[in-house]
Amino acid sequence: AQKVTQAQTEISVVEKEDVTLDCVYETRDTTYYLFWYKQPPSGELVFLIRRNSFDEQNEISGRYSWNFQKSTSSFNFTITASQVVDSAVYFCALSEPFTMQAGTALIFGKGTTLSVSS
Amino acid sequence: DTAVSQTPKYLVTQMGNDKSIKCEQNLGHDTMYWYKQDSKKFLKIMFSYNNKELIINETVPNRFSPKSPDKAHLNLHINSLELGDSAVYFCASSPPRPTYEQYFGPGTRLTVT
């Protein structure tokens, strides 16, 4: 069955530290998509990145970088030089395999709460 | 300018009441969703619609009834509210292919007393 595991429930760091949020997924399909979302204290869900199963290139966007490794079924997210504004709950998600039709749901991990202190 | 909007943002009501949450998107997307986020922040799909057609209907009590009057709107009606319905409900939209990210509304915090 499809599943997303974020083993780290809470992480606390001090500003300027680097932090990596882990995401491990399970799927039987060869074609799937992975996502990261951020939920700041204000509550909205903000899309960060999408990655398809055929593209294992790492991606960097400013202080954010993502490491996708199919061999370990992981899609980890690193924040470099963390800032207080990075404090949020971060969700990893998987697009449901088998039926890549319209309306396919996202399967979310339980989220990792990141607290960055000054 | 808001891409996906929900009303109301907060909803406090008593057990047994019937309430509705409205969702509208101005992104021109064909597909819309309702997700429920529980008190532990876990997000789970409830329904999805594509071009007003129901695609996903997870094991949600039939007290919950989605309605899509057109592609830009997906409303959620809840009958006979129970304490366990207290949660944050998120509406989302996306282009029809599941390769695309879903854009979420600001959420509606429902509190049933």
Side-chain angles (χ1 to χ4, degrees), chain B residues 83-99:
Chain B
L83 292 177
D85 298 332
S86 295
V88 180
Y89 292 86
F90 284 98
C91 177
S93 75
S94 71
R97 291 172 60 83
T99 59

Side-chain angles (χ1 to χ4, degrees), chain A residues 33 37 39 50 102-104 106, chain B residues 35 37 48 56 96 99 101-102:
Chain A
Y33 286 77
Y37 282 83
Q39 187 174 38
R50 176 188 75 240
T104 299
L106 291 176
Chain B
Y35 286 84
Q37 185 173 43
S48 73
I56 292 175
T99 59
E101 61 272 17
Q102 295 179 15

Side-chain angles (χ1 to χ4, degrees), chain A residues 16 25 29 86:
Chain A
K16 299 184 183 177
Y25 60 92
D29 209 343
D86 294 327

Side-chain angles (χ1 to χ4, degrees), chain A residues 33 35 37 39-40 42-45 47 50 89 91 95-96 99-110, chain B residues 9 31 33 35 37 40-43 45 48 50 55-56 90 96-106:
Chain A
Y33 286 77
F35 305 81
Y37 282 83
Q39 187 174 38
S42 50
E44 71 272 24
L45 283 160
F47 165 75
R50 176 188 75 240
V89 182
F91 293 96
S95 65
E96 195 173 26
T99 56
M100 300 295 280
Q101 64 173 347
T104 299
L106 291 176
I107 299 166
F108 284 89
K110 293 189 176 181
Chain B
K9 187 166 174 62
T31 312
Y33 312 78
Y35 286 84
Q37 185 173 43
K40 296 185 178 180
K41 299 278 190 179
F42 183 57
L43 279 153
I45 185 70
S48 73
N50 183 57
I55 302 298
I56 292 175
F90 284 98
R97 291 172 60 83
T99 59
Y100 293 100
E101 61 272 17
Q102 295 179 15
Y103 295 89
F104 285 81

Side-chain angles (χ1 to χ4, degrees), chain A residues 60-74:
Chain A
I60 298 174
S61 176
R63 296 183 297 107
Y64 294 171
S65 62
W66 289 268
N67 180 264
F68 175 35
Q69 291 194 339
K70 286 182 75 170
S71 59
T72 56
S73 297
S74 64

